[in-house]
Amino acid sequence: QRSAVSSLLGMMCDAVVDLDDGLAMKEHVQQIAGLLMHGSGKSLQGSRLTDFFCQDDDKRRFEQISASSSEGGGLSPSMLNVSFRDSLGNSIKAVTYHVPYRSITGRVNHLIGLREDTAASAGGIGDLSSDDPPPERGFETDSSEGASFDAA
C-alpha cells in the first residue's frame, strides 16, 4: 500500500519525501533540494522538514496534524498549505499532502507530497495584476463541440 500511495503522490506532486516518527527525512530527495535551491553537494537526509518552514505557525500546525493523524489507532491523511524558505531566503508557498503509515517497527512514519503553489508564490508577478481574477480552470461547454476540459 505504501508504494501505491507514494506513486500516486509522485504523480500529483513536485516531490515526495518519507519522514520518520520525528519528522526527519529518511533519505535525501533531490526534488526537495531543488525546490529549496540547495546545491547537489548537501544531503538533506536527517533534516526535519519543518526546519525549512517560514512561519512558526505553519510548523506548529504541521506538527499538530502529524501527531493527531495517528490518534485513536487510525491513520488519517491530511493536506496543509505552508510556506518554505529556500536557501536564498525566498518564500515558497506549497501544499503538503500528508499520509501517515506504520513502519514495520510499529512507529508512525509520514509520506509527504509537496506541490509548489506557483500562483501564490508568484505574488502577482507577471501579466496578471492582483485585481484580476485568476484564470479559469475546468470544464467549458461549447455548443458546437460539446464539453471540453481547459487545463490552461
Side-chain angles (χ1 to χ4, degrees):
Q1 287 179 333
R2 184 189 151 306
S3 80
V5 171
S6 183
S7 294
L8 182 60
L9 287 173
M11 288 188 289
M12 295 174 29
C13 299
D14 298 318
V16 178
V17 64
D18 199 355
L19 305 181
D20 65 19
D21 59 336
L23 303 180
M25 294 183 215
K26 293 170 75 174
E27 58 188 33
H28 177 73
V29 177
Q30 186 57 44
Q31 293 87 349
I32 291 179
L35 182 69
L36 298 174
M37 300 185 74
H38 285 264
S40 59
K42 181 183 178 196
S43 175
L44 298 179
Q45 181 177 358
S47 299
R48 288 177 47 94
L49 185 64
T50 53
D51 290 345
F52 300 101
F53 287 6
C54 288
Q55 300 176 9
D56 288 337
D57 188 48
D58 285 349
K59 182 177 181 176
R60 182 188 52 75
R61 289 184 306 140
F62 187 86
E63 289 172 346
Q64 264 182 335
I65 286 172
S66 298
S68 67
S69 66
S70 60
E71 288 179 0
L75 299 174
S76 302
S78 60
M79 184 176 112
L80 183 66
N81 294 310
V82 298
S83 295
F84 288 93
R85 179 86 51 213
D86 71 15
S87 65
L88 301 175
N90 298 313
S91 176
I92 301 167
K93 304 274 187 198
V95 178
T96 61
Y97 299 93
H98 172 240
V99 182
Y101 70 95
R102 291 211 184 274
S103 70
I104 55 174
T105 62
R107 295 182 180 264
V108 176
N109 289 342
H110 311 270
L111 271 177
I112 307 295
L114 301 172
R115 183 175 50 97
E116 184 177 3
D117 186 350
T118 54
S121 291
I125 297 172
D127 295 333
L128 297 176
S129 74
S130 59
D131 295 334
D132 292 335
E136 293 293 324
R137 289 180 174 236
F139 287 97
E140 294 182 359
T141 304
D142 182 334
S143 58
S144 64
E145 296 182 28
S148 65
F149 183 73
D150 175 23

